[in-house]
Amino acid sequence: MKNDRIRYPGPLYFGDDGVLVKYVQLALHRAGYDVKIDGRLGKSTQAAVEHFLKEDTNERDWQQPVVDRDVWQRLLPYLKGYVWHRVEEGEALWQIAGKYQTPLPKVMIANPGLDPDRIQIGTMLVIPLPFPLVSEEVEYTSFLTACIVEGLEKRYPYLEAGNIGSSVMGKPIYYMRIGKGETEVFYNASFHANEWITTPVLLKFAESFAKAYGGCNELFTVPAAKLFWSYSLYLAPMVNPDGVDLVNGVLEQVSGLSDEENETYLGRTMQIAAGYPQIPYPSGWKANIAGTDLNLQFPAGWEIARGIKFEQGYTTPAPRDYVGEAPLTAPESKAVYDFTREHDFQLILAYHTQGEVIYWKYLDYEPEHAEEIVRYFEEVSGYVAEKTPYASAYAGYKDWFIMEYVRPGYTIEVGTGINPLQMEQFQDIYEKNRLILEGGMSQLEQAGQE
């Protein structure tokens, strides 16, 4: 992530509501303020911002934004989960850790090679802040995902982060790598915009894995160090950042583009949605910002998928189910395809919602150990392994991976209800999937030994 820059959201005013207000409230809450995370910028949130800034209310013009770029910059450490600290004369490392209420071992993990008895004046230290980084209270967007990926990389320097490509609007498609092993595994999420709840599933797992490895603990049932040195786990937590931002109402505020460019993209989605009035807008949007369904873009029966979806009426760019003009014409799908080609993944998990089912086959392909692994997934999650319904059985990432490599590939459909699923379901979803996520590595080894 060294060449990426966090795009600050636009300004927020008194009376505003939405996801970005929740981020402000989350940051203030982590900074010690008793703020309800309700997404409404009312008097209590305004007062907390005033106190956080240590400003005299009488001197601030509240006709101006309550949260502008400067305020975002000052709140950002509470979304990224770390601060920089310059060592001053006479400071000991334990004193610095205490100042931020951070356990000393976490400071040591974030600053590898540091000798706590010989820290030099002027040394810049990464100080993790004392809270879990992945929130279970707010909706996820490209902005929050970028903050968390950067924060995880700083807090756990043995975690690698970067991007595999860019979206239609130029947003990075981030990846993380945990582990140094020869066996490569790949998990991805949020191919579909209104399935964004899958993003924090992968982010929380990454945080859990990195924390367990740093503490020399088990991840869940397996020593984290064993997984770390046996596997290289790659995660792409948000394949469709533009679409996710559209669904969660922040497309214009976090794009980094001009007002004219934002209006062009947003206006185009409205035009597309008008052609499919049966699909609620924007909550029913699954596609990328150009109206292409990213999980119908892979060269595995694409022509059959095209026939199925055209027969269903999806013949032009649409909020969902439009296969595109040809395979791999959407930059997001092409990025995942190229990333897969560059690696030697032995297993993939593609996270979607909903139904609590696991799709594990493509046509008559049955990779070695695929069934025994999916039976384990059933056992630990309570999900049911099923054959992909015919209408969705072609041109998906899992389909192409199985066809191309004849290795285990799974589409995991989490949660139940109406998309987008709400964060109230997150704890249950994560609990049911944490052993699947661990098992995507550990079960490969066990299956190979039998």
Side-chain angles (χ1 to χ4, degrees):
M1 286 196 55
K2 296 174 178 60
N3 295 322
D4 296 325
R5 178 175 60 85
I6 300 293
R7 296 175 166 116
Y8 290 98
L12 297 174
Y13 295 83
F14 182 83
D16 281 350
D17 57 21
V19 175
L20 292 178
V21 177
K22 287 187 177 182
Y23 293 170
V24 171
Q25 294 167 332
L26 174 65
L28 291 167
H29 182 74
R30 288 172 167 178
Y33 294 90
D34 185 16
V35 176
K36 185 178 180 181
I37 302 175
D38 60 7
R40 294 190 293 272
L41 208 169
K43 291 183 179 179
S44 61
T45 300
Q46 175 182 297
V49 171
E50 293 175 31
H51 195 274
F52 177 78
L53 298 175
K54 297 180 173 59
E55 292 183 348
D56 186 339
T57 309
N58 295 324
E59 296 180 3
R60 186 171 176 88
D61 181 2
W62 292 106
Q63 297 302 312
Q64 298 299 312
V66 177
V67 181
D68 56 18
R69 183 183 176 87
D70 176 64
V71 178
W72 276 119
Q73 188 172 21
R74 294 167 71 173
L75 289 171
L76 214 54
Y78 298 96
L79 299 178
K80 293 182 177 181
Y82 76 93
V83 295
W84 288 100
H85 180 90
R86 183 182 183 276
V87 178
E88 303 290 344
E89 185 176 1
E91 284 187 315
L93 193 60
W94 65 268
Q95 292 173 315
I96 296 170
K99 176 180 178 180
Y100 296 97
Q101 300 180 352
T102 299
L104 182 58
K106 292 189 176 183
V107 177
M108 296 295 295
I109 288 171
N111 298 274
L114 183 69
D115 184 344
D117 296 321
R118 296 183 180 182
I119 55 173
Q120 301 295 317
I121 296 172
T123 299
M124 296 298 294
L125 301 177
V126 174
I127 310 296
L129 296 177
F131 49 78
L133 188 50
V134 179
S135 170
E136 300 182 13
E137 301 170 279
V138 299
E139 294 87 345
Y140 277 68
T141 63
S142 65
F143 168 68
L144 184 60
T145 299
C147 290
I148 291 172
V149 171
E150 180 182 319
L152 289 174
E153 186 182 31
K154 294 298 185 185
R155 288 163 72 133
Y156 306 105
Y158 39 82
L159 181 151
E160 170 191 313
N163 69 74
I164 67 174
S166 300
S167 68
V168 170
M169 296 179 71
K171 294 172 188 155
I173 302 171
Y174 293 111
Y175 81 88
M176 295 175 289
R177 174 187 175 181
I178 308 176
K180 300 293 186 181
E182 292 184 2
T183 303
E184 295 184 325
V185 175
F186 181 40
Y187 304 163
N188 53 66
S190 290
F191 259 93
H192 289 147
N194 63 357
E195 299 175 5
W196 55 261
I197 201 169
T198 58
T199 290
V201 171
L202 295 195
L203 291 174
K204 183 175 176 64
F205 181 72
E207 183 171 25
S208 298
F209 191 174
K211 180 180 178 181
Y213 175 72
C216 300
N217 296 319
E218 287 192 346
L219 178 50
F220 302 118
T221 66
V222 181
K226 178 178 174 62
L227 297 177
F228 186 92
W229 292 107
S230 299
Y231 296 90
S232 288
L233 171 62
Y234 292 83
L235 307 102
M238 187 175 286
V239 173
N240 186 3
D242 301 340
V244 169
D245 289 346
L246 174 67
V247 169
N248 281 324
V250 302
L251 185 71
E252 297 172 282
Q253 294 97 323
V254 302
S255 72
L257 302 178
S258 68
D259 290 343
E260 182 178 358
E261 289 172 309
N262 283 326
E263 289 175 7
T264 298
Y265 283 114
L266 187 61
R268 177 60 178 148
T269 66
M270 293 178 178
Q271 291 176 352
I272 290 171
Y276 296 87
Q278 75 277 18
I279 301 174
Y281 176 85
S283 64
W285 194 277
K286 294 175 65 177
N288 74 352
I289 207 67
T292 299
D293 192 313
L294 299 180
N295 204 41
L296 291 170
Q297 271 275 286
F298 291 87
W302 180 85
E303 293 80 5
I304 298 174
R306 181 180 185 274
I308 293 170
K309 298 306 179 184
F310 271 44
E311 187 175 339
Q312 293 175 346
Y314 298 102
T315 59
T316 60
R320 55 177 294 165
D321 291 336
Y322 175 61
V323 301
E325 295 181 359
L328 303 175
T329 51
E332 299 90 346
S333 299
K334 183 64 160 55
V336 173
Y337 174 89
D338 290 342
F339 190 66
T340 304
R341 285 289 199 191
E342 292 164 4
H343 291 272
D344 188 28
F345 298 131
Q346 300 298 306
L347 176 148
I348 63 95
L349 301 180
Y351 266 84
H352 291 259
T353 65
Q354 55 181 290
E356 297 193 339
V357 298
I358 305 170
Y359 300 124
W360 65 284
K361 298 182 74 172
Y362 174 64
L363 301 180
D364 293 329
Y365 291 86
E366 191 167 330
E368 186 178 12
H369 305 306
E371 183 170 8
E372 59 193 279
I373 292 173
V374 82
R375 298 307 171 203
Y376 172 81
F377 289 169
E378 283 185 308
E379 179 184 350
V380 299
S381 67
Y383 289 9
V384 178
E386 294 185 358
K387 183 178 180 180
T388 309
Y390 175 75
S392 304
Y394 300 94
Y397 173 66
K398 176 267 294 179
D399 308 322
W400 168 73
F401 179 82
I402 292 174
M403 183 190 74
E404 184 70 16
Y405 296 100
V406 196
R407 294 171 181 169
Y410 305 92
T411 295
I412 315 291
E413 299 277 358
V414 308
T416 58
I418 299 173
N419 286 335
L421 302 180
Q422 301 303 301
M423 284 301 285
E424 285 77 9
Q425 285 200 43
F426 178 78
Q427 288 186 359
D428 180 67
I429 289 171
Y430 188 74
E431 181 61 27
K432 290 177 177 177
N433 280 274
R434 62 188 183 91
L435 294 182
I436 291 180
L437 292 159
E438 180 189 73
M441 294 174 283
S442 64
Q443 293 305 301
L444 261 179
E445 180 178 25
Q446 184 169 325
Q449 292 174 349
E450 293 177 353

